Every structure is written in structure tokens, then in C-alpha cells.
Amino acid sequence: MIIEVDIYSAIRARYSDGESIRAIAKDLGVSRQTVKKYCEGATHPEVRKNYQREPEIITDTIKTF
């Protein structure tokens, strides 16, 4: 599930107002782990990890198959 910036803002505002992580997660329909992650402030929904996939190694045996 991709969290939009408006939900992120709601999570941060509710948490700073003293609402519990469990209550925020239940009201917004987001997992508690996600709410906790955004409450800690270490990540932002617009910042994504770069997807780096290692190239597959195709041997001659596989090519002839």
C-alpha cells in the first residue's frame, strides 16, 4: 500500500497531538508498523528506495535450453 502525503500529514499531526499509534492506525486503516515508521520521522512517503536488481547470469547451458 502506498501512503499518500495527506495521510502522512494526518499521521504526524495526530501523533503530535498525543493520539496513540493504535488509534491512528485503526482510524486511517493503515498498519501500526506503518504509523510507527512515520511517527518516528525517519522516512517520508515521497522518498523511495532505488530498485537495484542484480543482472541474471545466463550460462551457455541455459541459452541452449
Side-chain angles (χ1 to χ4, degrees):
M1 175 180 194
I2 298 176
I3 301 295
E4 301 295 329
V5 176
D6 57 337
I7 295 176
Y8 171 79
S9 299
I11 290 170
R12 297 285 295 184
R14 287 177 164 203
Y15 186 71
S16 65
D17 290 341
E19 193 169 343
S20 70
I21 291 174
R22 184 179 297 238
I24 296 168
K26 187 175 181 181
D27 289 345
L28 297 177
V30 181
S31 72
R32 285 183 287 157
Q33 290 82 10
T34 301
V35 173
K36 182 180 177 185
K37 176 175 68 172
Y38 289 134
C39 288
E40 291 172 351
T43 60
H44 192 273
E46 291 182 346
V47 177
R48 303 262 186 232
K49 291 181 181 178
N50 290 334
Y51 181 74
Q52 295 179 358
R53 182 175 176 182
E54 296 295 323
E56 295 180 14
I57 299 174
I58 301 177
T59 62
D60 292 332
T61 308
I62 300 296
K63 286 180 183 178
T64 58
F65 178 70

